[in-house]
Amino acid sequence: MPTGAGESICYQVPALARAGTAVVISPLIALMHDQIRAADALGIKAASLTSADDREAVVKRFLSGELDLLYVAPERATTEGFRRLADRVHLSLIAIDEAHCVSEWGHDFRPDYRQLTRLLDDHREVPRLALTATADRRTRADILAQLGIPEDGLIVAGFDRPNIRYVIRQREQTGKQLRQLLGDRPGPAIVYAPSRDKTEKIAAELGGSGRRSLPYHAGLPPEVRARNQSAFVRSEDMVIAATVAFGMGIDKPDVRTVAHSAIPKSLEAYYQETGRAGRDGEPAEAWLFWAAKDFTLARQRIDEEVPPERRQQEREKLNALAALVETPGCRRAVLLRYFGEDPPATCGNCDNCLEPPATIEVTEIARKLLSAAFRTEMRFGVGHLADVLGGKETDKVHSFGHHRLSVFGICTEEELKLVKPVARALVARDALRADDYGGLSFGPGAKPILKGEETVVIAVPPARRKRRRGGDGPADPLFDALRDVRRALAQEAGVPPYVVFHDSTLREIAAARPRTLAELGRLQGVGETKLQRYGAAFLQAVRQHAA
């Protein structure tokens, strides 16, 4: 099902409806604790059995049957000790969250997930449930096989997140582009960076521009990492610059913007990471800034780090990602087709649908560029190749004798303006590959272009328009007052504000202006437990605003 569509309710409801305790396999401690806070706010008795918890107290609650939900990591769930412990408890359900981790075809394969079959075999009579938001057809089939779930047990609820606006831009100056983006957009934001040092650099640059920002990566001391994550989870307008490992550690519903400062690993990873935006159903945006060298580095990683038997699959995933960044058409359609859906041709909520880019057929320029790379012995970068194609009499051109080549001076001034964007497109589709020194050589995608079997079309992105900070529409004083009440209640309870109520619920309260607890209880997001805990405070705020 789509990210943020309510995977947790799929195991919470049967856990409450059936006798016993549901065991939930979850990959990260921070994610477990976040979900436990949310469950507690709903009156669900939940705990986790991790290195960060009081093991004796949790085991006692588990054995007594007090718990509705027990969260454990796959590493613990596969131990002999936990299996013996589970044998002593009446289990209502075994739920495997982030189930794509069980598949070697998934984008985040974890061997420990493969070992869960022993726990499942010990309790064949207990219903089992696997949940994921990112699994293509091959991954879904592998999940079913590995976890012993029959094919008729597969339910695909769809992948579309219509409230997320997808925007992709070529990367020029990372810091400047991110400052402009996040200076225009209030609310919590995540910036994904490809390395630890880049998270710290981005956080410092954004902080220097006046936007509160913190880094998050595995190299930070554990207490700093925990403090930064806690600050972000509790914030209402902060930016966290993080490596991709951060994404699975939170379930913060009010993230308004997710930005990638470089390409993600795959379309599955992109979907998972952008899915951290707008989990409350409110409008959100996902931005991706890319450069040709991102694809070069990704292909080098595949050749150097991926086992030979998996390289072709990884190259296919990278080519699918290239198709997303290159398309002049609907981004959402490309994304959903990858996951096996049949979406409309346009979505009305991505950059290309909102402002359709001009497209240029540049096959002839691409052939000239490929020819120049070939005749210069595939040792030079795009700058030198452009000089050769433009007929520039530089010292470097003369020293290598490239002024005598047949490709010298064959491009017009107008064609030369397009050489660099064409080179980016050729690198993205693996027609050109850059070495460690920037030299361009042929990739497997070059031959069909040179033989006239494929055309090359590139999009010209529209000019950036200035956006007014603060979002669309006038401010709502009652909504702001309700946020103040929520902030105070959250601080008193020691929980993030969204655990009290989501923004979408506050907007409903501001629009409906309930006068009684009964009226408030009819609004979406206001359950019985929250009504009793918080109802009086919010009704008081509505009355004060009306006075």
Side-chain angles (χ1 to χ4, degrees):
M1 62 173 59
T3 54
E7 289 135 278
S8 58
I9 202 171
C10 292
Y11 57 76
Q12 287 173 348
V13 170
L16 294 174
R18 294 173 57 86
T21 301
V23 171
V24 182
I25 313 298
S26 186
L28 289 178
I29 293 175
L31 180 59
M32 296 182 206
H33 288 173
D34 199 49
Q35 292 173 330
I36 289 169
R37 280 193 297 266
D40 180 68
L42 297 169
I44 300 172
K45 296 173 183 176
S48 57
L49 192 57
T50 73
S51 58
D53 299 299
D54 183 341
R55 184 183 186 282
E56 185 177 345
V58 173
V59 168
K60 183 178 179 180
R61 296 179 68 193
F62 185 38
L63 292 175
S64 70
E66 175 189 338
L67 295 174
D68 299 312
L69 300 171
L70 177 69
Y71 290 87
V72 294
E75 297 83 358
R76 182 178 297 272
T78 54
T79 63
E80 187 66 29
F82 182 79
R83 290 170 60 199
R84 287 198 302 267
L85 185 65
D87 287 342
R88 300 166 59 189
V89 176
H90 181 67
L91 301 181
S92 61
L93 176 73
I94 299 175
I96 298 99
D97 203 4
E98 307 293 349
H100 54 271
C101 296
V102 80
S103 172
E104 64 177 351
W105 304 112
H107 72 281
D108 193 21
F109 172 56
R110 300 190 180 196
D112 284 306
Y113 267 76
R114 289 274 196 179
Q115 306 304 317
L116 290 172
T117 52
R118 289 183 291 180
L119 176 66
L120 296 171
D121 288 344
D122 288 345
H123 301 276
R124 294 180 181 274
E125 77 288 355
V126 177
R128 60 190 68 176
L129 174 66
L131 299 152
T132 180
T134 48
D136 58 16
R137 284 194 178 95
R138 181 161 52 180
T139 303
R140 295 197 294 266
D142 197 27
I143 292 170
L144 295 178
Q146 294 301 323
L147 299 180
I149 299 173
E151 288 188 14
D152 59 6
L154 174 65
I155 299 173
V156 180
F159 292 86
D160 193 14
R161 291 287 307 282
N163 64 313
I164 297 179
R165 177 171 298 176
Y166 298 104
V167 183
I168 298 177
R169 292 284 185 270
Q170 290 172 358
R171 189 172 67 249
E172 296 162 356
Q173 297 179 344
T174 307
K176 180 180 178 181
Q177 287 174 299
L178 289 173
R179 287 196 302 272
Q180 289 177 336
L181 172 68
L182 297 171
D184 288 348
R185 289 160 177 79
I190 300 172
V191 177
Y192 286 114
S195 65
R196 297 175 181 182
D197 63 312
K198 284 186 169 63
T199 67
E200 298 193 11
K201 182 178 179 181
I202 288 169
E205 289 188 4
L206 293 174
S209 68
R211 189 73 186 269
R212 189 187 176 207
S213 306
L214 291 172
Y216 185 99
H217 59 75
L220 291 172
E223 63 275 11
V224 175
R225 195 164 63 242
R227 185 167 65 244
N228 288 1
Q229 174 161 323
S230 177
F232 176 67
V233 168
R234 295 171 188 273
S235 76
E236 294 179 287
D237 196 42
M238 183 182 146
V239 180
I240 194 91
T243 52
V244 294
F246 179 74
M248 287 177 67
I250 60 164
D251 190 21
K252 184 173 170 62
D254 58 345
V255 174
R256 299 271 65 86
T257 307
V258 168
H260 283 83
S261 64
I263 63 167
K265 186 178 176 181
S266 63
L267 280 185
E268 290 97 335
Y270 176 74
Y271 181 81
Q272 177 91 15
E273 291 151 18
T274 58
R276 298 296 162 191
R279 296 172 75 94
D280 56 4
E282 296 282 294
E285 295 184 2
W287 286 68
L288 168 59
F289 297 99
W290 73 281
K293 71 176 182 180
D294 295 348
F295 287 93
T296 297
L297 292 173
R299 291 194 170 95
Q300 288 175 352
R301 181 192 64 79
I302 292 171
D303 290 339
E304 295 170 5
E305 300 177 15
V306 176
E309 66 273 12
R310 291 179 55 84
R311 287 176 188 166
Q312 184 57 36
Q313 176 205 349
E314 292 299 310
R315 292 187 185 110
E316 290 172 4
K317 288 179 179 290
L318 191 61
N319 290 340
L321 183 60
L324 177 72
V325 303
E326 274 198 293
T327 184
C330 177
R331 310 279 189 193
R332 180 172 273 101
V334 172
L335 191 61
L336 296 180
R337 279 197 294 269
Y338 178 80
F339 287 109
E341 296 199 3
D342 184 21
T346 59
C347 71
N349 198 25
C350 74
D351 55 344
N352 287 347
C353 286
L354 291 167
E355 297 179 86
T359 58
I360 308 174
E361 205 272 335
V362 291
T363 307
E364 189 59 31
I365 301 173
R367 288 177 183 156
K368 290 178 179 180
L369 180 58
L370 291 168
S371 296
F374 176 76
R375 296 190 182 281
T376 56
E377 300 177 334
M378 303 192 195
R379 295 166 49 202
F380 300 91
V382 67
H384 181 73
L385 296 181
D387 287 344
V388 173
L389 292 169
K392 291 187 178 180
E393 306 273 357
T394 67
D395 291 342
K396 186 175 180 180
V397 167
H398 275 268
S399 67
F400 286 100
H402 292 164
H403 59 295
R404 293 191 292 270
L405 296 176
S406 60
V407 293
F408 183 74
I410 63 172
C411 278
T412 66
E413 284 297 320
E414 290 303 310
E415 288 176 327
L416 286 174
K417 293 176 183 178
L418 294 171
V419 166
K420 287 187 177 180
V422 168
R424 282 195 293 266
L426 293 179
V427 171
R429 64 167 60 187
D430 207 15
L432 281 176
R433 290 181 173 180
D435 61 26
D436 292 341
Y437 304 99
L440 295 173
S441 59
F442 284 2
K447 187 176 180 180
I449 296 172
L450 287 169
K451 292 181 67 176
E453 296 170 357
E454 287 186 8
T455 59
V456 181
V457 177
I458 63 172
V460 180
R464 181 181 181 274
R465 296 185 303 178
K466 184 68 177 177
R467 169 182 167 137
R468 178 173 56 84
R469 179 175 169 86
D472 300 324
D476 183 344
L478 177 54
F479 175 72
D480 292 337
L482 294 172
R483 278 168 62 99
D484 290 340
V485 171
R486 179 180 67 178
R487 190 178 301 115
L489 289 170
Q491 289 174 349
E492 181 181 341
V495 298
Y498 65 79
V499 170
V500 177
F501 283 131
H502 289 185
D503 278 357
S504 53
T505 300
L506 296 189
R507 294 189 196 283
E508 286 211 25
I509 296 173
R513 301 180 185 237
R515 293 166 297 177
T516 66
L517 286 174
E519 291 179 0
L520 178 60
R522 286 194 285 269
L523 300 182
Q524 185 173 353
V526 184
E528 184 63 31
T529 300
K530 291 187 177 184
L531 185 66
Q532 297 304 319
R533 286 183 184 177
Y534 312 125
F538 284 100
L539 289 178
Q540 178 67 17
V542 173
R543 284 194 292 268
Q544 288 177 346
H545 180 77

